[in-house]
Amino acid sequence: MKVQRLVIAVSAAALLVVAGCSSDRGSGDGDEGGGGGGGTGSSDTASSSFGSLTDVCQEGSATGAPTQGVTDTEIKVGVFSDVGFTKQPEFVDAAKVFTSWCNELGGINGRTLVATTRDAKLMETRQQMIAACREDFALVGGGSALDGLGVKERLTCGLPSFPAQVVQPTVTGSDLQVSASPSQTAGYDPYYQFRTWLMKDAYPDSANAIGIINGDSPLTKSIGAQAIESTEAAGGTFVYNDLYPAMGVSDWTPYAQAIKSKGVKGLIFEGDFKQLAKLESVLTSIDYKLDWIDTNNNAYGDQFIELASDSVGYQNNYLDMGGVAPLNSDEPAVTELKALYKKYAPDAQITLPAIRAMSAWLLFAKAAASCGDDLTRTCVYNAAKAETAWTGGGLTAPQNLAQTTPPSPCFNVQQAKPEGWEAADFGPDNGLYRCDIPAYKYTQDFGAPMTLADVGMTMADIK
């Protein structure tokens, strides 16, 4: 999938692309990502530990300005978001929470974290990346729907990235990037294990009657093609495959009737969960209940439960958390995350991308602290890549950041109930996760990540 195709279609499909693929949800505008925090003095009440991680942030006397964005007193980082388009600041909020907490503890070896929101507003990814290239030491804890529009500039200026999420193939697995909790891995399907469980364990009668409904934009159609390949590889047979207009549907009745007439038992929905809630309302009103609906994990949160209130108790809605600990778990790191949000951003919603963002911040902080005075881009990147069992202190299943392929096979499933999301009976075999189904590698070419070599550079050029 080429970036140019996305640009051509984006004026018609902008809302769908952001809501269905970017997962940048919440509210607010946000120009700054929360660099000030509580200053660099230590606190009697704050702890420098987070879950299983110790001494995440600390006082110190680091000196020198070894590279752009690093001084004796500060570390400047950028946080990508589409907040100006979506009005949903989950990455801005995560940056505020982490930097406020970290700076209250003394920063990174005494250097204060200063986070600036790089608001791509959907279509301004390249412009914001150019700005980041002029000022930032690294990018941390963010993401944007059309992230492929800026990857060439990022690599050309040697800017390391620790994203909360990636979207486009040129970015997924690209050089000088470390994903603490990968939302995708280049060449592999992130939902194969989940859909295998749905069709083989949870609802075996559904395998011969799978349907998919997808937004009519190049980005989501490519995601749909990936879902079809991996679902068929898992033993599924499609009896229904349809598109809906990118800007939404006023009447979902024809789609619901088609799903019913085809006898669909398992439905994969790609796109905006607000539209899915409308579709489910019609399906329920015509008394058609599917065995399962894969809502995609953009639906994780209270908003979908509220929007689908007339059908969520009737239809079986599931999503894969992608190896991220759910908010309803008793994992100590999740409890600590909620406490930090309550203190530093009490009105913010903790979303799935926000949890990924926190893991990215924790990874960056640990790697940066290990570099001491010599905080260079090469040092922080190499330190992060050396993590072989990263969990963000307990926020995620273990990730081998030194060897990212094949990706972790661990998955965990949440089911929507009228009371909220709760753990499904998916047979976990490793704490919160199930890890016994190998990852699936695509046979089709869905695009390749960009490398330093593509822009005429090597790691020796990174300072």
Side-chain angles (χ1 to χ4, degrees), residues 263-326:
V264 176
K265 295 182 178 180
L267 179 67
I268 298 170
F269 186 87
E270 301 286 0
D272 184 357
F273 65 83
K274 301 179 188 70
Q275 295 296 318
L276 174 59
K278 295 177 182 179
L279 171 60
E280 289 194 25
S281 180
V282 178
L283 287 167
T284 300
S285 70
I286 64 174
D287 198 29
Y288 188 71
K289 182 177 181 178
L290 295 106
D291 285 355
W292 55 265
I293 298 173
D294 173 4
T295 68
N296 80 63
N297 56 31
N298 292 291
Y300 186 65
D302 295 337
Q303 192 174 4
F304 176 75
I305 302 296
E306 295 167 0
L307 290 170
S309 59
D310 61 348
S311 56
V312 74
Y314 181 68
Q315 303 291 346
N316 293 317
N317 288 281
Y318 297 94
L319 59 78
D320 179 12
M321 292 289 290
V324 175

Side-chain angles (χ1 to χ4, degrees), residues 134-147:
R134 289 195 300 261
E135 301 174 6
D136 296 337
F137 169 63
L139 302 177
V140 185
S144 58
L146 300 182
D147 51 8

Side-chain angles (χ1 to χ4, degrees), residues 50-75:
F50 184 90
S52 61
L53 297 172
T54 59
D55 198 27
V56 175
C57 299
Q58 60 290 119
E59 293 182 323
S61 55
T63 59
T67 190
Q68 175 182 291
V70 179
T71 69
D72 286 347
T73 59
E74 292 184 341
I75 304 170

Side-chain angles (χ1 to χ4, degrees), residues 61-226:
S61 55
T63 59
T67 190
Q68 175 182 291
V70 179
T71 69
D72 286 347
T73 59
E74 292 184 341
I75 304 170
K76 295 182 178 180
V77 298
V79 182
F80 262 79
S81 173
D82 285 316
V83 64
F85 181 82
T86 64
K87 310 303 179 187
Q88 318 227 6
E90 58 195 346
F91 296 140
V92 179
D93 291 336
K96 176 183 178 181
V97 169
F98 184 85
T99 57
S100 296
W101 172 63
C102 188
N103 289 338
E104 186 173 313
L105 292 164
I108 305 296
N109 294 324
R111 289 174 168 133
T112 298
L113 284 172
V114 179
T116 300
T117 300
R118 300 300 179 184
D119 184 4
K121 302 175 185 176
L122 186 65
M123 288 299 295
E124 297 180 12
T125 304
R126 182 174 181 273
Q127 295 94 313
Q128 289 300 313
M129 190 64 75
I130 290 171
C133 282
R134 289 195 300 261
E135 301 174 6
D136 296 337
F137 169 63
L139 302 177
V140 185
S144 58
L146 300 182
D147 51 8
L149 298 178
V151 64
K152 181 178 179 181
E153 284 70 24
R154 180 179 69 79
L155 291 175
T156 299
C157 76
L159 189 61
S161 179
F162 299 79
Q165 66 180 31
V166 294
V167 179
Q168 296 185 259
T170 52
V171 179
T172 303
S174 59
D175 277 351
L176 211 56
Q177 177 175 279
V178 188
S179 292
S181 171
S183 55
Q184 297 190 67
T185 301
Y188 287 84
D189 184 87
Y191 305 112
Y192 174 76
Q193 293 92 331
F194 165 53
R195 292 174 185 148
T196 296
W197 167 76
L198 282 170
M199 294 185 296
K200 292 188 175 180
D201 296 346
Y203 301 96
D205 291 340
S206 70
N208 291 325
I210 305 300
I212 183 170
I213 189 164
N214 199 2
D216 192 3
S217 78
L219 179 55
T220 48
K221 283 197 285 189
S222 177
I223 293 172
Q226 296 169 24

